[in-house]
Short mmCIF file of all heavy atoms in Angstrom, two decimals:
data_model
loop_
_atom_site.label_atom_id
_atom_site.label_comp_id
_atom_site.label_asym_id
_atom_site.label_seq_id
_atom_site.Cartn_x
_atom_site.Cartn_y
_atom_site.Cartn_z
N PHE A 332 46.30 -117.70 51.34
CA PHE A 332 44.95 -117.18 52.08
C PHE A 332 44.16 -116.32 51.12
O PHE A 332 44.68 -115.57 50.16
CB PHE A 332 45.37 -116.25 53.25
CG PHE A 332 46.18 -117.00 54.24
CD1 PHE A 332 47.46 -116.71 54.46
CD2 PHE A 332 45.57 -117.97 55.11
CE1 PHE A 332 48.32 -117.26 55.42
CE2 PHE A 332 46.33 -118.44 56.05
CZ PHE A 332 47.62 -118.26 56.23
N ASP A 333 42.88 -116.43 51.16
CA ASP A 333 41.95 -115.59 50.61
C ASP A 333 41.57 -114.50 51.58
O ASP A 333 41.22 -114.91 52.88
CB ASP A 333 40.67 -116.28 50.12
CG ASP A 333 40.81 -116.96 48.80
OD1 ASP A 333 41.24 -116.18 47.87
OD2 ASP A 333 40.41 -118.11 48.63
N ILE A 334 41.81 -113.24 51.34
CA ILE A 334 41.58 -112.21 52.34
C ILE A 334 40.62 -111.11 51.69
O ILE A 334 40.70 -110.71 50.57
CB ILE A 334 42.94 -111.58 52.59
CG1 ILE A 334 44.02 -112.41 52.80
CG2 ILE A 334 42.85 -110.59 53.72
CD1 ILE A 334 45.49 -112.05 52.69
N LYS A 335 39.67 -110.77 52.57
CA LYS A 335 38.72 -109.63 51.99
C LYS A 335 38.23 -108.90 53.24
O LYS A 335 38.45 -109.41 54.44
CB LYS A 335 37.57 -110.30 51.40
CG LYS A 335 36.77 -111.25 52.17
CD LYS A 335 35.64 -111.83 51.32
CE LYS A 335 34.79 -112.91 51.95
NZ LYS A 335 33.76 -113.50 51.19
N LEU A 336 37.66 -107.65 53.00
CA LEU A 336 37.27 -106.92 54.12
C LEU A 336 36.03 -107.44 54.68
O LEU A 336 35.25 -108.04 53.99
CB LEU A 336 37.00 -105.36 53.63
CG LEU A 336 38.13 -104.56 53.13
CD1 LEU A 336 37.65 -103.31 52.45
CD2 LEU A 336 39.05 -104.33 54.38
N ASP A 337 35.86 -107.41 55.90
CA ASP A 337 34.65 -107.95 56.73
C ASP A 337 33.48 -106.97 56.59
O ASP A 337 33.63 -105.84 57.14
CB ASP A 337 35.09 -108.25 58.15
CG ASP A 337 33.84 -108.86 58.86
OD1 ASP A 337 32.83 -109.07 58.36
OD2 ASP A 337 34.19 -109.43 59.95
N PRO A 338 32.46 -107.44 55.77
CA PRO A 338 31.31 -106.46 55.66
C PRO A 338 30.57 -106.14 57.01
O PRO A 338 29.79 -105.12 57.05
CB PRO A 338 30.46 -107.06 54.68
CG PRO A 338 30.74 -108.67 54.83
CD PRO A 338 32.19 -108.68 55.13
N ALA A 339 30.78 -106.87 57.99
CA ALA A 339 30.07 -106.62 59.28
C ALA A 339 30.67 -105.50 60.05
O ALA A 339 30.14 -105.08 61.06
CB ALA A 339 30.24 -107.91 60.14
N HIS A 340 31.88 -104.95 59.57
CA HIS A 340 32.41 -103.82 60.18
C HIS A 340 32.66 -102.73 59.26
O HIS A 340 32.90 -102.92 57.95
CB HIS A 340 33.88 -104.19 60.85
CG HIS A 340 33.77 -105.29 61.89
ND1 HIS A 340 33.73 -104.87 63.24
CD2 HIS A 340 33.78 -106.56 61.87
CE1 HIS A 340 33.63 -106.03 63.90
NE2 HIS A 340 33.64 -106.99 63.10
N ASP A 341 32.59 -101.52 59.62
CA ASP A 341 32.90 -100.31 58.85
C ASP A 341 34.37 -100.35 58.44
O ASP A 341 35.28 -100.35 59.35
CB ASP A 341 32.47 -99.08 59.38
CG ASP A 341 31.05 -98.86 59.60
OD1 ASP A 341 30.24 -99.49 58.81
OD2 ASP A 341 30.52 -98.09 60.46
N ALA A 342 34.60 -100.35 57.24
CA ALA A 342 36.02 -100.30 56.75
C ALA A 342 36.66 -98.84 56.90
O ALA A 342 35.90 -97.93 56.82
CB ALA A 342 36.22 -100.65 55.30
N PRO A 343 37.89 -98.71 57.40
CA PRO A 343 38.59 -97.52 57.43
C PRO A 343 38.52 -96.87 56.08
O PRO A 343 38.40 -97.41 55.11
CB PRO A 343 39.95 -97.84 57.83
CG PRO A 343 39.99 -99.17 58.40
CD PRO A 343 38.84 -99.92 57.64
N SER A 344 38.48 -95.58 56.17
CA SER A 344 38.44 -94.72 55.00
C SER A 344 39.70 -95.02 54.13
O SER A 344 40.73 -95.38 54.63
CB SER A 344 38.40 -93.14 55.27
OG SER A 344 37.33 -92.89 56.05
N SER A 345 39.60 -94.98 52.81
CA SER A 345 40.67 -95.20 51.95
C SER A 345 41.54 -93.89 51.71
O SER A 345 41.06 -92.83 52.27
CB SER A 345 40.16 -95.74 50.63
OG SER A 345 39.26 -94.62 50.06
N GLY A 346 42.59 -94.07 51.05
CA GLY A 346 43.50 -92.95 50.78
C GLY A 346 44.21 -92.40 51.96
O GLY A 346 44.51 -93.25 52.95
N SER A 347 44.55 -91.20 51.99
CA SER A 347 45.51 -90.60 53.02
C SER A 347 44.83 -90.74 54.45
O SER A 347 45.57 -90.75 55.41
CB SER A 347 45.78 -89.21 52.70
OG SER A 347 44.69 -88.42 52.56
N ALA A 348 43.49 -90.83 54.47
CA ALA A 348 42.76 -90.86 55.77
C ALA A 348 43.12 -92.11 56.52
O ALA A 348 42.90 -92.31 57.71
CB ALA A 348 41.20 -90.80 55.55
N LEU A 349 43.76 -93.19 55.92
CA LEU A 349 44.17 -94.34 56.51
C LEU A 349 45.35 -94.10 57.51
O LEU A 349 45.49 -94.85 58.40
CB LEU A 349 44.41 -95.43 55.58
CG LEU A 349 43.28 -95.92 54.64
CD1 LEU A 349 43.85 -96.73 53.50
CD2 LEU A 349 42.35 -96.91 55.51
#
Side-chain angles (χ1 to χ4, degrees):
F332 302 108
D333 276 315
I334 312 159
K335 58 185 178 181
L336 292 171
D337 188 345
H340 296 267
D341 291 333
S344 301
S345 60
S347 60
L349 291 168

